[in-house]
Amino acid sequence: MLQEKKIGFIGGGAMAEALLRGMINTGLIQPQQIIVSDIIAERRDYLAQAYAVSTTGEIHAAAKNTDILFLAVKPQVVKAVMEQLSGQVATTTIVVSIVAGLTLAALQAKFPGCAVIRVMPNTPIAVGAGMSALALGKLATKQDSDLISRIFSSAGTAVTVGEELMDAVTGLSGSGPAYGFVMIDALADAGVSVGLSRQTALVLAAQTLLGAAKMVLETGEHPAKLRDMVTSPGGTAITGIHVLEQNGLRAALIDAVKAATKRSQEMGKK
């Protein structure tokens, strides 16, 4: 399904690199099918050497005759980029934006006749463990959705939601890695405080959260049920959970997601 597609990237930053790495490493796409446009020559040279993809400093060259075109530039320059591309992209091209805050309506206005898809990935996509949410434009078909989902699934997991939920996605999975990093850092500090070395505490904390997440995803069990499996009567885990509840960890995480969602909504109105 993807072996005959030509893929273009406007912007060759970390997210673009994570995607092309995922596609190439999983065999979805061959390097010769990909062309990346970036304004920084050193970045173009790096991508060409690391992944054997074609690179260019000219955005029109990356957009010409592509079947799928990824917009992977900074939000502050995306309007200028779309202006340059206006009228240059064939209506058979699927235009995919990973630009924060760029709406489907804005995409559709600049690429009339194209199927447009908006995606919110998160940073763990860089290590093949990303969480990406897709929102489909009015011209995007199920086949288009399946195609783009396969690409993002090559670097993690992908789901499809209505665009009205993209701010909620941003508040939860988009911002979520930051919450996880804070928890890992805090757990590592706690480990040091009870006598562990910093490096050992960090590995213990990070791997423990990774394992807990993997159990939720692979067993399909509710987190509360898995928690109950760990909390034996009068044991250490229930004692620790009691302290977490006393200090409002659950409420703090809920409030963090709600606040981040609200902030995303505010940013989208600017």
Side-chain angles (χ1 to χ4, degrees):
M1 186 163 56
L2 282 162
Q3 293 300 322
E4 298 177 357
K5 303 294 184 182
K6 184 178 179 182
I7 314 294
F9 282 88
I10 308 299
M15 285 292 190
E17 181 182 357
L19 274 178
L20 66 87
R21 183 196 304 124
M23 288 189 288
I24 292 170
N25 288 350
T26 56
L28 278 179
I29 295 289
Q30 298 302 310
Q32 61 267 26
Q33 295 173 252
I34 299 174
I35 181 169
V36 183
S37 168
D38 198 276
I39 61 172
I40 302 173
E42 292 82 357
R43 186 63 180 170
R44 297 196 301 269
D45 292 343
Y46 163 74
L47 293 172
Q49 292 173 11
Y51 301 100
V53 298
S54 298
T55 62
T56 177
E58 173 55 59
I59 65 172
H60 297 107
K64 186 178 180 181
N65 300 322
T66 55
D67 299 294
I68 302 171
L69 180 64
F70 288 94
L71 300 182
V73 296
K74 299 293 185 183
Q76 57 266 33
V77 302
V78 70
K79 288 185 179 180
V81 167
M82 291 196 299
E83 286 292 342
Q84 292 182 62
L85 291 174
S86 185
Q88 304 296 314
V89 179
T91 57
T92 54
T93 300
I94 304 172
V95 179
V96 182
S97 167
I98 60 172
V99 182
L102 185 61
T103 66
L104 288 172
L107 279 168
Q108 202 71 76
K110 291 299 181 182
F111 303 103
C114 291
V116 299
I117 297 178
R118 177 183 174 186
V119 184
M120 169 55 70
N122 64 11
T123 54
I125 199 172
V127 292
M131 182 68 247
S132 302
L134 286 64
L136 310 181
K138 61 184 179 180
L139 299 181
T141 65
K142 184 180 184 304
Q143 184 178 11
D144 297 332
S145 174
D146 290 345
L147 200 64
I148 304 307
S149 289
R150 283 194 68 194
I151 290 174
F152 282 91
S153 294
S154 71
T157 300
V159 298
T160 301
V161 301
E163 187 180 26
E164 71 279 4
L165 295 174
M166 289 300 270
D167 291 315
V169 168
T170 302
L172 179 52
S173 66
S175 304
Y179 316 149
F181 297 144
V182 169
M183 286 187 281
I184 290 169
D185 191 32
L187 287 170
D189 280 348
V192 172
S193 75
V194 294
L196 295 166
S197 71
R198 170 64 60 181
Q199 185 57 35
T200 297
L202 189 59
V203 172
L204 286 168
Q207 181 61 38
T208 297
L209 288 188
L210 175 63
K214 193 170 183 179
M215 284 188 71
V216 171
L217 292 173
E218 294 192 2
T219 67
E221 297 287 0
H222 193 282
K225 182 175 180 180
L226 295 173
R227 178 202 60 205
D228 288 348
M229 292 167 59
V230 181
T231 51
S232 56
T236 59
I238 192 62
T239 301
I241 287 174
H242 177 66
V243 175
L244 293 178
E245 295 290 3
Q246 280 184 321
N247 287 275
L249 175 66
R250 183 189 300 267
L253 288 171
I254 293 171
D255 288 347
V257 172
K258 292 173 69 174
T261 299
K262 182 179 179 182
R263 180 57 181 153
S264 179
Q265 292 168 340
E266 293 169 350
M267 291 173 67
K269 293 176 183 177
K270 292 182 179 180

